Amino acid sequence: MSSHTLMHSARSEIQGFKGQFVSPEDPSYEKDRAVYNGMIDRRPALIARAADPQDVAAVVSFANAHDLLLAVRGGAHNGAGLGTVDDGVVLDLSGLKSIEVFPGARTVRVGGGCTWGEVDAATGEYGLACPSGIISTTGVGGLTLGGGLGHLTRRYGLTIDNLLEAEVVLASGESVRASATENQDLFWAIRGGGGNFGVVTSFLFRLHEVGTVVGGPTFWAVEDAAEVLRAYRKFLPASSRELNGFFAFASVPPAPPFPEELHLRKVCGVVWCYTGRPEDAAEAMAPLLAATPEPLLHGVQEMPLPALQSAFDPVYPAGDQWYWRADFVREIPDAAVDLHAKFGAEMPTWQSTMHLYPLDGAVHDIGTSDTAWAYRDVNWGTVYAGVDKDPANADKISRWTIDYFEALHPYSAGGAYINMMMDEGQERVRASYGPNYDRLTQIKAAYDPRNLFRINQNIAPAGS
Ligand SMILES: Cc1cc2nc3c(=O)[nH]c(=O)nc-3n(C[C@H](O)[C@H](O)[C@H](O)COP(=O)(O)OP(=O)(O)OC[C@H]3O[C@@H](n4cnc5c(N)ncnc54)[C@H](O)[C@@H]3O)c2cc1C
């Protein structure tokens, strides 16, 4: 169907649509089709920006009836560009922005198109927080449905471990609630299974008392990386859950508050978030500092959690080129440490980075088969990300990422966090769900037998 015909059909068939349709002829189309990763350049035939859950249901039914490719867009952050599609329909949820905090019950109800920065600002007013990611512009929808890891993971678990309820528009257009007591199989599947099962129009999350934290980075010379990583791999799993600290390779951002003499210097580091009593933070971090060379910078301070949650936003604005790879790891043996040190020193651009996100602590309290997220026994999620502003460097950043990943993959647990992968094929998706994959295919067959929701890390319906 041409985009012109599609627009005409959408206008005539989707009665009472309160949102907005954008077609390739519209002046805003170029801006509206863009996603966060500048490497993704797709041209949907129609962008439907829903205003409420009824709009969502109408667009889903329309796409289903016409057998159209349908991409669902939350915050548009997905590295593989899963929030858009060539020649199909983009269902843009950015109009679903409601946020209701219930401080007494310590919960928050969030519209399916919110970003985490919006949620953090609202819950932060009450000194409450839900575990999420480390960049505030990331969408609640995609991050949550894939799992959700960040500064509060060791203490309070993955984002899905704090999900209490979701309103879901199914492929049929019907809207249902998924929770521990309603549609339990769907509730199990959406906690890690991505956007495979329907469109979530609202999420209800549990909140925790997190006001001020002690956070920020410690940076060491990249030449010290092997020594620091050897100390870190022992130190962190033995630390209290109040201490989160992800290991990273990065370059010092060329802007205040970083001292000018360090700007753009390649470093290894740990980015801390301590949620215990602020006066105990230094003691919690001390064993690592004692076991490692003198850092270049120990930039840790007390701050409101939302400030830490958005601290890296200026380094990573929308529109840059991104190439991702990821893995789960149980241990970091000496051979892996040496490879990390080699590739960390070879970062191709200053925004390129590698993070080892802790996945122990509260993540281990939940069993492998309790949610779709299968890797409850690993200690870290590794992400390799080649990043640069210049499209001319796309090959260079992709090459470094792939080479780094391939060198370290033999030391991994097999699968990866689906939210930090590119389009890497069905076997990679299967590996990432491990023993939960078969059950996911059965639930997929029950809720989306024709695989309408397939612009994602796709779980094929059983029997298809
Ligand atoms: C700079 C950056 C930093 C990141 N940091 C972290 C981090 O710290 N922790 C972490 O866990 N992840 C992180 N991520 C990864 C992030 O979780 C994924 O990119 C995620 O897919 C983004 O969700 P989104 O809604 O913004 O994406 P989109 O591109 O809009 O959507 C991604 C996928 O989710 C589906 N989806 C989105 N919303 C809904 C919904 N309401 N209902 C149904 N399906 C939906 C889409 O269909 C699509 O398949 C980061 C990503 C970036 C780019």
Coordinates of all heavy atoms in Angstrom, one line a residue, residues 37 39 321-325 384-387 394 397-399 401-402 422 424:
N37 N 19.4 6.5 17.7 CA 20.6 6.1 17.0 C 20.7 6.6 15.6 O 19.9 6.2 14.7 CB 20.6 4.5 17.0 CG 21.9 4.0 16.4 OD1 22.8 4.8 16.0 ND2 22.1 2.7 16.5
M39 N 22.5 6.0 13.3 CA 22.9 5.0 12.3 C 21.7 4.4 11.6 O 21.7 3.7 10.6 CB 23.7 3.9 13.0 CG 24.8 3.3 12.1 SD 25.7 2.0 13.0 CE 27.2 2.8 13.6
Q321 N 25.9 8.3 16.1 CA 26.0 6.9 15.6 C 26.3 6.0 16.7 O 27.2 6.2 17.5 CB 27.2 6.9 14.6 CG 27.1 7.9 13.5 CD 26.2 7.5 12.4 OE1 26.3 6.5 11.8 NE2 25.3 8.4 12.1
W322 N 25.6 4.9 16.8 CA 25.8 3.9 17.8 C 25.9 2.5 17.2 O 25.1 2.1 16.4 CB 24.6 3.9 18.8 CG 24.6 5.0 19.8 CD1 24.3 6.3 19.6 CD2 24.9 4.9 21.2 NE1 24.3 7.0 20.7 CE2 24.7 6.2 21.8 CE3 25.3 3.8 22.1 CZ2 24.9 6.4 23.1 CZ3 25.5 4.1 23.4 CH2 25.3 5.4 23.9
Y323 N 26.8 1.7 17.7 CA 26.8 0.3 17.4 C 27.0 -0.5 18.6 O 28.0 -0.3 19.4 CB 27.9 0.0 16.3 CG 27.7 -1.4 15.7 CD1 26.8 -1.5 14.6 CD2 28.2 -2.5 16.3 CE1 26.5 -2.8 14.1 CE2 27.9 -3.8 15.7 CZ 27.0 -3.9 14.6 OH 26.7 -5.1 14.1
W324 N 26.1 -1.5 18.9 CA 26.1 -2.2 20.2 C 26.4 -3.7 20.0 O 26.1 -4.3 19.0 CB 24.7 -2.1 20.8 CG 24.1 -0.8 21.1 CD1 23.6 0.1 20.2 CD2 23.9 -0.3 22.4 NE1 23.1 1.2 20.9 CE2 23.2 1.0 22.2 CE3 24.1 -0.7 23.7 CZ2 22.9 1.8 23.3 CZ3 23.8 0.1 24.7 CH2 23.1 1.3 24.5
R325 N 27.0 -4.2 21.1 CA 27.0 -5.7 21.3 C 26.9 -5.9 22.8 O 27.3 -5.0 23.6 CB 28.4 -6.3 20.8 CG 28.4 -6.5 19.3 CD 27.6 -7.8 19.0 NE 27.8 -8.2 17.6 CZ 27.0 -7.7 16.6 NH1 26.1 -6.8 16.8 NH2 27.2 -8.2 15.4
Y384 N 29.2 -3.3 25.0 CA 30.2 -2.7 24.2 C 29.5 -1.7 23.2 O 28.6 -2.1 22.5 CB 31.0 -3.7 23.3 CG 31.4 -5.0 24.0 CD1 30.5 -6.1 24.0 CD2 32.6 -5.0 24.7 CE1 30.9 -7.2 24.7 CE2 32.9 -6.2 25.4 CZ 32.1 -7.3 25.4 OH 32.5 -8.4 26.1
A385 N 29.9 -0.5 23.3 CA 29.2 0.5 22.4 C 30.2 1.4 21.7 O 30.9 2.2 22.4 CB 28.2 1.3 23.2
G386 N 30.2 1.3 20.4 CA 31.0 2.2 19.6 C 30.1 3.4 19.3 O 29.0 3.3 18.8
V387 N 30.6 4.6 19.7 CA 29.7 5.8 19.5 C 30.5 7.0 18.9 O 31.7 7.2 19.3 CB 29.2 6.3 20.9 CG1 28.1 7.4 20.7 CG2 28.7 5.2 21.8
A394 N 31.3 5.4 11.1 CA 30.3 4.3 11.4 C 31.1 2.9 11.4 O 30.9 2.1 12.2 CB 29.1 4.3 10.5
I397 N 33.7 2.5 14.3 CA 33.1 2.2 15.7 C 32.5 0.8 15.7 O 32.5 0.1 16.7 CB 32.1 3.2 16.2 CG1 31.0 3.4 15.2 CG2 32.9 4.6 16.4 CD1 29.9 4.4 15.8
S398 N 31.9 0.4 14.5 CA 31.3 -1.0 14.5 C 32.3 -2.0 14.6 O 32.2 -3.0 15.3 CB 30.5 -1.2 13.2 OG 29.6 -0.1 13.0
R399 N 33.5 -1.8 13.9 CA 34.5 -2.8 13.8 C 35.1 -3.1 15.2 O 35.3 -4.2 15.7 CB 35.6 -2.3 12.9 CG 36.6 -3.3 12.4 CD 36.1 -4.4 11.5 NE 35.8 -5.6 12.2 CZ 35.0 -6.5 11.9 NH1 34.2 -6.4 10.8 NH2 34.8 -7.6 12.6
T401 N 33.7 -2.5 18.1 CA 32.6 -3.2 18.9 C 32.6 -4.7 18.6 O 32.6 -5.5 19.6 CB 31.3 -2.5 18.7 OG1 31.4 -1.1 18.9 CG2 30.2 -3.1 19.6
I402 N 32.5 -5.0 17.4 CA 32.4 -6.4 17.0 C 33.7 -7.2 17.4 O 33.6 -8.3 18.0 CB 32.1 -6.6 15.5 CG1 30.7 -6.0 15.2 CG2 32.2 -8.0 15.0 CD1 30.4 -5.8 13.7
M422 N 22.2 -5.4 18.8 CA 21.7 -5.0 17.5 C 20.8 -6.1 16.9 O 20.4 -7.0 17.7 CB 22.9 -4.7 16.6 CG 23.8 -3.6 17.0 SD 23.0 -2.0 17.2 CE 23.1 -1.3 15.6
E424 N 20.7 -9.3 15.6 CA 21.8 -10.3 15.6 C 21.3 -11.7 15.3 O 22.0 -12.7 15.5 CB 22.6 -10.3 16.9 CG 23.3 -9.0 17.1 CD 23.9 -8.8 18.5 OE1 24.4 -9.8 19.0 OE2 23.8 -7.7 19.1

